[in-house]
Amino acid sequence: MLIDTYSRVATDLRVSLTDRCNLRCTYCMPEEGLQWLTKTDLLTDDEIVRLIDIAVTSLGIEEVRFTGGEPLLRPGLVGIVERVAALTPRPRMSLTTNGIGLSRTATALKAAGLDRVNVSLDTLRPDVFKTLTRRDRHKDVIEGLYAAREAGLTPVKVNSVLMPGLNDDEAPDLLAWAVEHDYELRFIEQMPLDAQHGWKRDGMITARDILTSLRTRFELTEEGSHARGSAPAERWIVDGGLYRVGVIASVTRPFCAACDRTRLTADGQIRTCLFAREETDLRTALRSGAGDEVIAGIWREAMRGKKAGAGLDAPSFVQPDRPMSAIGG
């Protein structure tokens, strides 16, 4: 079991498969990209599967989310999913992706054992997409979403970040579109995860702003904390029907007290929080021939050092020392 000193138990493992990405989103990285990890720094497919095996069989992990960078850029992705699906007990598996290439891989990922996907899409306008991501790939993302739904990687969740002066007026349109296509939409407050450190709390689009905008067109009924559990998104029932919309208010309403996550970076480091300044090295132990129980013990000790919260609701805070692409969302 992975338990911290605040009695929180981690059952959800986020695994970054690569730090590379084929978009250059303005809130994540500079236009020229970043200095990528070398191949020898990255965990191999075998190392990733072994660490997930330890997490599932010895540490109580029940759900695995593959992230990046962009995880679809990992050549061995389908094989990794297939091998993790064969573990006993079998963890639930999901993937967070920008959707580029998903139209080609959705069927294979479903066949390998992936349960569902989260796809990032901030706008319905191709020109705004190009401004936000510095790439003209909007059509590819839409096709990827469709392919994921048709392959049965459901519920297909769409993650959207609203930016002042770019797409801050699109919340109602995004929700109407998501309802029409049977996607579950979740808005995420912009977090300070940009490598160029350009994030400013003043002026960001908050959860309150998002809900106010949505209520200009929809009736929203709060689902309540009983249904939320440890999930990061607060959800609202749309127009009294079957559809839900979520808001992840990481900055204005942090949910650290209910956090059940642990994170494995692409280069084999354990992070207990997306905003942690400390990492615990598993790669060295792995490559030095340490046994599974030794590695599990290192992981347990790292979890015991998890802090009470990220403190994002404070006027100032310490930004993570690595960009999101290197840590995993």
Side-chain angles (χ1 to χ4, degrees):
M1 180 181 292
L2 290 171
I3 185 168
D4 66 22
T5 55
Y6 300 92
S7 299
R8 293 171 298 192
V9 178
T11 58
D12 184 334
L13 170 61
R14 304 297 168 98
V15 180
S16 174
L17 297 179
T18 179
D19 59 331
R20 295 174 185 266
C21 188
N22 42 15
L23 296 180
R24 296 292 181 269
C25 297
T26 56
Y27 51 78
C28 183
M29 68 172 73
E31 186 170 5
E32 65 274 13
L34 300 165
Q35 184 173 346
W36 309 120
L37 294 168
T38 66
K39 186 174 181 180
T40 54
D41 286 334
L42 290 170
L43 293 176
T44 66
D45 293 0
D46 287 346
E47 288 170 338
I48 289 169
V49 173
R50 183 183 171 198
L51 289 175
I52 295 174
D53 188 357
I54 292 169
V56 169
T57 59
S58 301
L59 298 173
I61 290 298
E62 299 171 356
E63 182 165 355
V64 176
R65 172 84 61 86
F66 296 109
T67 71
E70 173 44 55
L72 293 181
L73 295 178
R74 178 89 186 199
L77 172 61
V78 172
I80 291 170
V81 170
E82 187 172 33
R83 292 169 66 184
V84 173
L87 296 177
T88 302
R90 180 200 187 281
R92 298 185 299 275
M93 284 186 292
S94 58
L95 177 82
T96 294
T97 172
N98 62 28
I100 296 173
L102 191 56
S103 62
R104 299 188 301 273
T105 55
T107 300
L109 287 168
K110 179 65 178 179
L114 192 70
D115 295 305
R116 63 171 190 84
V117 294
N118 286 24
V119 179
S120 300
L121 180 66
D122 303 323
T123 178
L124 299 176
R125 307 169 190 162
D127 59 326
V128 176
F129 181 91
K130 187 175 181 179
T131 299
L132 279 167
T133 67
R134 305 184 180 104
R135 298 291 187 272
D136 190 10
R137 305 296 298 271
H138 188 265
K139 181 174 179 287
D140 297 318
V141 179
I142 297 297
E143 290 176 352
L145 279 161
Y146 176 81
R149 188 188 66 196
E150 293 303 297
L153 293 170
T154 55
V156 176
K157 296 185 179 181
V158 177
N159 296 339
S160 296
V161 176
L162 299 182
M163 303 283 288
L166 285 173
N167 62 339
D168 52 348
D169 61 338
E170 285 198 66
D173 290 341
L174 281 162
L175 180 53
W177 168 81
V179 169
E180 177 186 357
H181 294 281
D182 199 23
Y183 303 137
E184 184 176 322
L185 180 64
R186 307 191 310 172
F187 292 99
I188 304 176
E189 288 182 337
Q190 184 198 358
M191 293 180 284
L193 296 170
D194 55 317
Q196 59 269 39
H197 291 227
W199 181 89
K200 291 182 174 59
R201 197 180 194 282
D202 294 341
M204 64 168 283
I205 309 300
T206 66
R208 178 179 294 182
D209 297 330
I210 294 164
L211 293 169
T212 298
S213 179
L214 291 175
R215 285 184 169 121
T216 63
R217 196 182 306 179
F218 300 94
E219 178 186 340
L220 301 181
T221 306
E222 190 169 1
E223 194 174 47
S225 57
H226 65 284
R228 181 182 183 185
S230 60
E234 299 176 78
R235 300 204 309 174
W236 281 261
I237 301 165
V238 180
D239 289 340
L242 298 175
Y243 291 94
R244 305 288 189 272
V245 62
V247 179
I248 300 178
S250 303
V251 177
T252 61
R253 296 202 286 259
F255 38 85
C256 301
C259 181
D260 64 349
R261 300 178 187 177
T262 183
R263 298 174 183 276
L264 177 64
T265 68
D267 55 349
Q269 311 299 307
I270 288 298
R271 283 203 169 213
T272 57
C273 174
L274 194 59
F275 293 90
R277 300 287 291 184
E278 303 84 19
E279 295 180 332
T280 300
D281 183 11
L282 293 186
R283 187 185 64 197
T284 297
L286 197 66
R287 293 180 179 177
S288 298
D292 289 359
E293 189 49 47
V294 171
I295 292 171
I298 295 171
W299 206 328
R300 290 189 192 98
E301 189 61 31
M303 187 66 183
R304 279 194 282 271
K306 185 170 183 173
K307 293 181 169 54
L312 295 184
D313 53 340
S316 62
F317 54 87
V318 178
Q319 284 187 283
D321 56 342
R322 292 216 272 171
M324 182 163 57
S325 64
I327 301 169

